[in-house]
Every structure is written in C-alpha cells, then in structure tokens.
Amino acid sequence: MKKQKLPIAAMLLCAASAVGALELQQQNFSDDEIFSTVVSKFKKSLSHRFNPAAKAEPKPLLVLGPALKFGKKIKSASFSHLTQQELVAQQEAVFILVTNAYPDVERNALYVEYDIPSNASFGVLRVYPQDGVLVAEVKDGYRSSSGARATYGKLYEGVACRDNTEMAYRWNYYERNGASGRCLDVMFTEFMSGF
C-alpha cells in the first residue's frame, strides 16, 4: 500500500498521546495557513523588487529547503511556492527560504528557521495559535550581508547570469547601478564573494 504524504502540521506536530493533544493540531491548521502566517510577517521585505521596471506587485515567493520534504507544492492565494530549482531557473532574488521547522517542547508551536537574503536577514520565528488564528513572532532575528552572500552563493553557484532577471538587477543594485539589468559577468560565482 502506498504511503500518503502528511501535511507539515501533522508531520511535525504528531502528538505522542491523546492526553497531551496539541492546541495547534486540535485547531487543524493547513500548510497554507502556517506558511501564509510566516510570509505575511515579512510581506514588506518580500514585496520589494530590484528591477525598477517591475510593474505589478507579484505574490511573495516561498522556497522550502531540503530538510522539509513535500510531495506536492502548496497552493496558496497569498504566496507562490517554488522549488529551489525553479527559483534558480527564474533567477529570482527576493524570496523567503524556510530551511527547517520543528515543534517546541510543549508541542503547541512551531519554530521556523528562515532566510531572506535580499534584505540580509535570517533567524527563527515562533508560530502559534492565538484566539483561533496563527500568529508569528521573531524569536531570534539577525542581519548579515555575508550571510546573504553565502545564501545566494549556494543557490547560484555555477549558474550563468541572464540579463534582465531579478538577480541581474540585484547584482547591479549593489554595484550602485540599479537601473541596469545587464549581467556584470557571465557566471554568478564571479561576484558572490563581493555581493
């Protein structure tokens, strides 16, 4: 018999016994609700675009790291869920990468490790139910330009830059020529150390 993929809420928050049933599990939040809460915490940062010609405000981009395994993509009205391969193929620069998620000791909240390299921020969110809705608070938050370079470097290592992509504009933005979407070199690896 084929095993079914469980939603992240069920997967991460399975109760050990019926006695200590989880508030989060009892309220039965979907993957979309959990990650919409995460994304909405950083909506302003995730709405920024380096390309000055970008017209419509696109949905924020959510990328899940390899530690979080999903059988299918999360369908959401509030964000677009891309794989790392899709993100790199589109050469996107503004996204939230969720590298891990795990329950707290009491098993009534999720800790979500995030990375937003476009504004050099990363840390841990605590996501928990309050009055029937999910809320997110920053448990640990950090800023690091070298951390942002490292994240882009891991994603775009060995990838050829394409003109007029968000990554090309981001590269120029930090070289003080934000109006240009022309690649400054052939490969992204040429500039990762100095981004």
Side-chain angles (χ1 to χ4, degrees), residues 155-168:
L155 288 169
Y156 287 99
E157 183 179 2
V159 175
C161 179
R162 289 197 321 271
D163 287 345
N164 300 316
T165 59
E166 193 71 22
M167 278 298 289

Side-chain angles (χ1 to χ4, degrees), residues 1-5:
M1 192 170 164
K2 214 174 181 180
K3 272 192 173 179
Q4 269 191 319
K5 294 269 185 186

